[in-house]
Amino acid sequence: DGALVVVDAVEGAMPQTETVLRQALREGVKPALFINKVDRLINELQEGPEEMQQRLMDVIGDVNELIRGMLEEEDVDWTVSVEDGTVAFGSALYKWGVSMPSMEETGISFGDIIEMERNDERQELHERTPLSDVVLDMVAEHFPNPLDAQPRRVPTIWRGDADSELARQMREVDDDGDVVFMATDISMDPHAGEIATGRVFSGTIKKGQELYVSGTAGKNRVQSVGIYMGGEREELDRGVPAGNIAAVTGLRDAIAGSTVSSVEMTPFESIEHISEPVITKSVEAKSMDDLPKLIETLQQVAKEDPTIRVEINEDTGEHLISGQGELHLEVITTRIEKNQGIPVQTGEPIVVFREAPQQASREVEGVSPNRHNKFYISVEPMDQEIVDAIQLGEISNNMPELERREALQEAGMDKDTSQNFEHLFGTNILIDDTKGIQHLNETMELVVEGMQEALDDGPLAAEPVQGALLRLH
């Protein structure tokens, strides 16, 4: 229900800050701000109290401008400010932090911080005003209570029937209702196996329950249920009621984003990560003996972090991981080396490219291998507004047809085209403009498969294609 947005004091708000804020506000999540690396302002930039305060105020101003721009039509004011305690400053590296309420409590001023930081009294600074206390107080004080948040958030993240009994249970955070749990994180514990962490929206999740996992057949049996106290997982026999974050083992089919429930239901909207992977690195095990273990670890990484893409090439032993930036991939490779003890070699980072059509093509003829079928296809660029709507998850393959047609028309597609929608691949759409052809539905599956291959491996540079509107005539 709340997000702690971290901004670098020296660099200020970056493009990624804008991305995470947009993501949070679109999902109805309230932001609080932590400005990190304040020690660098003091030591590297040698700033005094006035300059430092001015710089911090500028960062807060930039962040608030972003928030205001994204919340124009909403009736809530979620801008952050030092006075109400929704902003904290500090140094994650040296584990100290301050906020307006904490300064009043400890009596530490900016002047004291600068002096202690310059005299290398960081340990004392950490003891007098520990970062964890400051951030935890801010979170506890300013993030909304589930009872206030769920009625607002459920309609945003769930497209099911708003008048159903299940919708009521989620809005009212009913701990006697049907179990509804959304797994947002999967992690590996050497003793307990896979742990799915997520939010319980209704009901009470308990050991021994048999639960459905969206997108998979059969049920999974809950082996243990607990909550996190910091990094420690405490198991609870009486279960975890609605409104809480639970750590659950035994959900072997769950991935980050799965809906887990005691009744079959419409799953939650998947968490749409607006950012696509932009950097790719190859990873190889230094010793061939480690190869099976490395493949297993990479598959686990892909399950734990939905923003990472992993391509495993078992023939060459070279595996590609794509992520949000060099730092993101560095963290992942360090984790593989440290936690799994697999020495790896990484290649130079390569930037990920995309291809897109620039203008409409003529009709092109394709013939099937047995020469009995001819397909006539043309390709044209798609409006950016439609591409944006797809990336925001407003248009998808598994939506009801009527709803999707309306969404496409709202994004600017003409009525006839939207009625002939056939399939969506990434941000590309296939339109079936054919009339009265016999047995077309028998071959359509193969057409879709062929298109998928062609789009994953574009014609110009073998990079993925985006924003193409393909018509089968």
Side-chain angles (χ1 to χ4, degrees), residues 218-288:
K219 291 181 168 186
N220 287 189
R221 189 185 176 85
V222 176
Q223 281 163 0
S224 76
V225 178
I227 53 171
Y228 276 105
M229 310 291 273
E232 300 296 312
R233 192 169 55 95
E234 294 278 334
E235 288 198 10
L236 292 176
D237 291 331
R238 59 193 177 92
V240 174
N244 288 289
I245 309 275
V248 185
T249 64
L251 302 176
R252 57 178 190 285
D253 294 332
I255 56 171
S258 294
T259 302
V260 179
S261 56
S262 55
V263 288
E264 295 202 36
M265 63 178 281
T266 309
F268 286 106
E269 291 290 288
S270 59
I271 301 173
E272 292 298 331
H273 292 279
I274 305 174
S275 36
E276 286 252 326
V278 286
I279 296 275
T280 299
K281 254 184 178 177
S282 69
V283 181
E284 293 175 59
K286 283 187 182 165
S287 122
M288 281 309 278

Side-chain angles (χ1 to χ4, degrees), residues 175-251:
D175 49 16
D176 292 328
D178 297 309
V179 174
V180 178
F181 169 82
M182 182 181 190
T184 43
D185 177 83
I186 305 284
S187 57
M188 216 33 209
D189 179 295
H191 311 297
E194 268 183 22
I195 298 171
T197 306
R199 165 68 164 270
V200 187
F201 280 89
S202 98
T204 298
I205 194 162
K206 294 183 176 134
K207 190 160 87 178
Q209 283 170 336
E210 302 260 331
L211 302 175
Y212 295 100
V213 176
S214 59
T216 63
K219 291 181 168 186
N220 287 189
R221 189 185 176 85
V222 176
Q223 281 163 0
S224 76
V225 178
I227 53 171
Y228 276 105
M229 310 291 273
E232 300 296 312
R233 192 169 55 95
E234 294 278 334
E235 288 198 10
L236 292 176
D237 291 331
R238 59 193 177 92
V240 174
N244 288 289
I245 309 275
V248 185
T249 64
L251 302 176

Side-chain angles (χ1 to χ4, degrees), residues 49-62:
E50 283 79 32
E51 297 156 295
M52 194 163 100
Q53 275 172 314
Q54 189 49 53
R55 187 185 282 264
L56 296 174
M57 292 321 286
D58 291 346
V59 172
I60 297 167
D62 291 346

Side-chain angles (χ1 to χ4, degrees), residues 125-163:
L125 191 53
H126 159 65
E127 281 161 17
R128 279 182 62 187
T129 178
L131 171 63
S132 49
D133 291 6
V134 171
V135 169
L136 206 51
D137 285 347
M138 180 163 76
V139 165
E141 199 62 41
H142 294 285
F143 285 173
N145 179 326
L147 295 169
D148 303 329
Q150 274 185 211
R152 191 186 62 247
R153 290 198 64 208
V154 170
T156 315
I157 57 176
W158 188 61
R159 294 267 186 271
D161 175 5
D163 301 325

Side-chain angles (χ1 to χ4, degrees), residues 352-392:
V352 178
F353 288 96
R354 292 284 182 268
E355 309 186 15
Q358 297 302 299
Q359 58 193 56
S361 73
R362 58 188 174 83
E363 269 185 42
V364 177
E365 178 186 84
V367 184
S368 68
N370 66 3
R371 325 291 293 166
H372 289 205
N373 301 293
K374 288 184 176 173
F375 296 90
Y376 293 88
I377 294 170
S378 66
V379 132
E380 60 197 77
M382 197 149 51
D383 284 356
Q384 189 54 43
E385 278 182 20
I386 304 174
V387 175
D388 291 345
I390 296 170
Q391 282 177 328
L392 292 173

